[in-house]
Amino acid sequence: IFPQNTMSDSDREQVDRYVADYDAAQTTNDYTGLFAGKNVIMVQLEAIDTWMLDNYMPNLKALKEQGISFTNHYTPAYITAGTFNTEFMANTGLLPATGGIPTSVYTNNAYPYSLANLFTKAGYTANSFHNSEGTVYDRGNIHLNLGYETYHSGSDMGMENSQMDRYLINGFDEMTAADPFFSFVITYSGHGPYGEDSPIYQANADQANAAAQRTDGNYVYAVAGAMETDRFIQELMEKLEESGHREDTVLIFYADHYNYYMMDDGLNME
């Protein structure tokens, strides 16, 4: 991230020792190679909290119970860019700078060890998908620099409403176009700001109001958003089954940050 000449020789030697020791310490276990050669769809869930998953997202909850749950993922909560910070970290393994998101840094530097580049070197195609246009966080440029062949925006996918995750399934053919494939998908519907007029709430209002355990503040609106995201997950699983990809595709789900539109200490701490 910073010019190379800011590191002293002793700093560089310390990094070299760390990398050498890390590589030497690697061992195989029962999980090594378990998913070798599988297709991969990695989904970053915007503003989805554990309380939303456990109570209002039956499709994602079922996948969690059937799969492997990693609990040591922590997001740098720099409020300027919680979503992009996690996105960058998940794609590169690097912690982002604390000073916000200078996009010129992420478009000019090389990332040979990013997930997209590593998968590409292994013979995979790599593409990214999100509701927003490529100008948001400069994803249209940054994702290409991270090694993705194409950033597919909501308009590229022909989403009828870019706020509603159910229409992300429009990009399914591009997500699975080649074999093997690595597709990175970012959802949106769990994110605020919320409101009664939101198309996300309107589409899920009856179900959300019937299921919500609370009715104060933004709670019901957040539940509606979680249900909308879960609908995309349901449709994704159905499409994988129909296309014959269900058994040869690994799905990875993680959240970008806690739902800070729910300013409730109890829920945030959970």
Side-chain angles (χ1 to χ4, degrees):
I1 291 179
F2 302 105
Q4 291 185 5
N5 60 12
T6 62
M7 290 184 72
S8 67
D9 289 342
S10 61
D11 289 338
R12 210 172 292 278
E13 290 172 2
Q14 182 181 2
V15 172
D16 288 342
R17 285 196 304 271
Y18 174 84
V19 173
D21 291 344
Y22 181 88
D23 289 342
Q26 298 310 297
T27 59
T28 60
N29 56 43
D30 291 342
Y31 296 100
T32 304
L34 185 63
F35 301 128
K38 299 282 189 180
N39 300 305
V40 179
I41 298 178
M42 184 170 79
V43 184
Q44 178 169 296
L45 304 162
E46 283 220 54
I48 297 297
D49 264 348
T50 303
W51 62 268
M52 302 163 86
L53 185 159
D54 287 343
N55 297 301
Y56 307 111
M57 303 181 73
N59 295 290
L60 182 58
K61 184 178 180 180
L63 290 175
K64 178 184 177 182
E65 291 172 349
Q66 297 166 19
I68 302 170
S69 181
F70 295 92
T71 57
N72 288 329
H73 165 67
Y74 297 93
T75 295
Y78 316 143
I79 298 303
T80 53
T83 297
F84 184 78
N85 284 339
T86 304
E87 182 178 333
F88 178 75
M89 185 173 66
N91 274 278
T92 65
L94 301 172
L95 289 174
T98 58
I101 50 167
T103 55
S104 60
V105 166
Y106 301 119
T107 53
N108 290 333
N109 281 25
Y111 299 98
Y113 299 107
S114 69
L115 282 178
N117 281 322
L118 291 174
F119 273 109
T120 298
K121 290 174 184 176
Y124 284 66
T125 60
N127 288 277
S128 60
F129 304 81
H130 184 41
N131 315 46
S132 71
E133 297 306 300
T135 53
V136 178
Y137 291 134
D138 201 17
R139 288 187 176 103
N141 290 314
I142 292 175
H143 280 212
L144 298 183
N145 197 41
L146 289 174
Y148 291 103
E149 297 172 21
T150 305
Y151 171 75
H152 300 266
S153 68
S155 58
D156 293 333
M157 290 182 278
M159 295 180 67
E160 296 177 35
N161 188 308
S162 63
Q163 296 182 49
M164 300 179 69
D165 285 343
R166 68 182 67 186
Y167 297 121
L168 278 169
I169 204 64
N170 290 7
F172 181 80
D173 289 344
E174 286 75 26
M175 294 176 193
T176 59
D179 189 18
F181 57 81
F182 167 57
S183 292
F184 175 45
V185 182
I186 307 171
T187 67
Y188 173 80
S189 294
H191 211 285
Y194 302 123
E196 187 174 2
D197 295 333
S198 164
I200 302 167
Y201 173 67
Q202 291 296 323
N204 299 279
D206 291 344
Q207 185 181 4
N209 280 290
Q213 298 174 3
R214 289 167 42 175
T215 57
D216 57 295
N218 286 322
Y219 192 91
V220 176
Y221 300 140
V223 170
M227 289 178 169
E228 180 67 24
T229 298
D230 199 54
R231 171 161 177 169
F232 161 66
I233 295 170
Q234 177 185 359
E235 296 188 355
L236 177 62
M237 297 307 298
E238 291 173 354
K239 283 283 191 179
L240 288 171
E241 183 73 43
E242 293 171 7
S243 63
H245 283 302
R246 184 170 179 130
E247 297 303 319
D248 66 8
T249 302
V250 173
L251 299 171
I252 303 169
F253 296 93
Y254 65 95
D256 57 350
H257 51 70
Y258 63 87
N259 192 317
Y260 46 69
Y261 289 90
M262 294 299 302
M263 299 309 291
D264 180 298
D265 286 344
L267 289 175
N268 288 342
M269 289 306 294
E270 183 182 344

